Amino acid sequence: MAILVVDDDRNIRTLIEEILRSDGYEDIQCAESGREALELIIAGDERFSTIFLDIQMPEMDGIELCGHIRALPEYRQTPIIMLTSMKDKAHVDAAFMQGATDYMTKPIDITEMHARLRVAQMLFEEQTRAQEAQNREADLRLGMGASAHPASDTQFEFSDPVIIYDVPRVIGSTEMENYLHRMSHVQRFMFSAIAFQIDRPERLFSLSTPVEFYDILTDVAEAIFENTRQYDPMISYAGEGKFIAVLPRTVQLDRDELEAELSLTLREFGLIGGETVPMDVTVSAGDVVKMSMFDSTPQKMFNRALMSVSKERNTPKRARVNMMFA
């Protein structure tokens, strides 16, 4: 498996290459600019399993390069680890919005790099196995005369936290956890989370094809973004029809009002009262859960937010939001 290192600093490139070789990796390529890296990737002589990108480079920086890489279908899920000496949140946010998987700060910590690379390689191997399984299924369908439409290869289970593409401020669940885990204790304290749950998601999944259900998830993600965009959220799909949005700690939301706004947006998208989905799609919102100073792991905050929306689903609402359209 080939690894690509992109950094305009020759000393950094050499250091990372030495670290990788000491960990047993031999197939390593380096590029000193975003343009050179993109040419290597597009040439296709090597299929890179992990890519390290420096954020701050002249001409094409690592954030822009990350976006170009993610636009290539074969690299949509390849682990991309950003390298930065910059501490400001804006650059890190921008990298994740362009599809970064993780990030490391300079100076490089050897033990940390070994750990991050092992996780990245595990992700790549898992994605490769999943893609091979999909390809085998596609070949079987073609042999049986089934549709060869590209979308027919989209296969996933109800519980899978699939990545939603092409919706602003939406990232994968792994990327979301990495983003928060790399922050200091004090930085994490500045965040809160709110969960969203598609109502009756199991039935909706069973009545839809995987492609149709994925399209519904994309529309719901966009509806969540449109109704929280003023807070610069980070949104992720957690599987089973559940979404998590990370917001600034100071945000105050009225749950009933938010659900009503979501229903309006979903109606505009044709998911309520439309003819393109097997049933009306409605979404419940949970409580805004704040990070605790004494229990500040992102996963525990997410779990409390998800429990809040699950409890809400099992409790009769004061008024069903979609009744307002009756």
Side-chain angles (χ1 to χ4, degrees), residues 6 55 64 68 70 103 165 199 202 222 270 275 303 321 326:
V6 187
I55 285 185
E64 181 183 354
H68 286 307
R70 287 297 188 224
Y103 76 96
Y165 295 107
D199 297 324
E202 300 94 337
E222 187 167 356
E275 298 179 354
N303 288 342
V321 173

Side-chain angles (χ1 to χ4, degrees), residues 97 167-173 176 196 220-226 228-229 233-237 243-247:
M97 290 303 102
V167 179
R169 309 294 295 181
V170 176
I171 63 177
S173 58
M176 176 79 86
F196 299 88
V220 171
E222 187 167 356
I224 293 171
F225 166 70
E226 289 296 338
T228 58
R229 65 187 305 164
M234 276 196 168
I235 304 164
S236 180
Y237 178 63
F243 293 80
I244 285 283
V246 173
L247 310 167

Side-chain angles (χ1 to χ4, degrees), residues 189-237:
F189 185 68
M190 303 306 294
F191 289 97
S192 63
I194 182 171
F196 299 88
Q197 170 75 69
I198 296 174
D199 297 324
R200 295 172 292 171
E202 300 94 337
R203 183 163 179 260
L204 183 60
F205 183 80
S206 68
L207 293 172
S208 309
T209 67
V211 173
E212 290 169 341
F213 190 72
Y214 183 86
D215 287 343
I216 291 169
L217 294 178
T218 301
D219 283 344
V220 171
E222 187 167 356
I224 293 171
F225 166 70
E226 289 296 338
N227 288 284
T228 58
R229 65 187 305 164
Q230 65 267 40
Y231 308 117
D232 289 331
M234 276 196 168
I235 304 164
S236 180
Y237 178 63

Side-chain angles (χ1 to χ4, degrees), residues 26-94:
E26 295 295 334
D27 195 352
I28 304 163
Q29 291 200 40
C30 296
E32 63 181 22
S33 70
R35 191 170 303 282
E36 180 186 354
L38 202 54
E39 289 173 355
L40 281 172
I41 293 169
I42 292 174
D45 296 332
E46 293 278 7
R47 174 70 165 87
F48 298 109
S49 61
T50 300
I51 302 173
F52 290 91
L53 298 184
D54 182 30
I55 285 185
Q56 195 170 27
M57 294 187 293
E59 296 183 17
M60 183 189 300
D61 64 23
I63 296 171
E64 181 183 354
L65 175 58
C66 185
H68 286 307
I69 294 172
R70 287 297 188 224
L72 302 172
E74 64 272 31
Y75 281 95
R76 277 205 138 178
Q77 296 188 53
T78 301
I80 297 178
I81 302 174
M82 309 301 293
L83 305 172
T84 178
S85 56
M86 298 178 288
K87 300 288 187 179
D88 61 301
K89 179 176 176 291
H91 283 96
V92 175
D93 283 7

Side-chain angles (χ1 to χ4, degrees), residues 134 136-147 152-153 155:
Q134 288 185 14
R136 287 194 297 271
E137 291 178 8
D139 290 342
L140 180 60
R141 285 196 299 273
L142 286 171
M144 298 173 64
S147 172
S152 66
D153 289 343
Q155 299 291 332

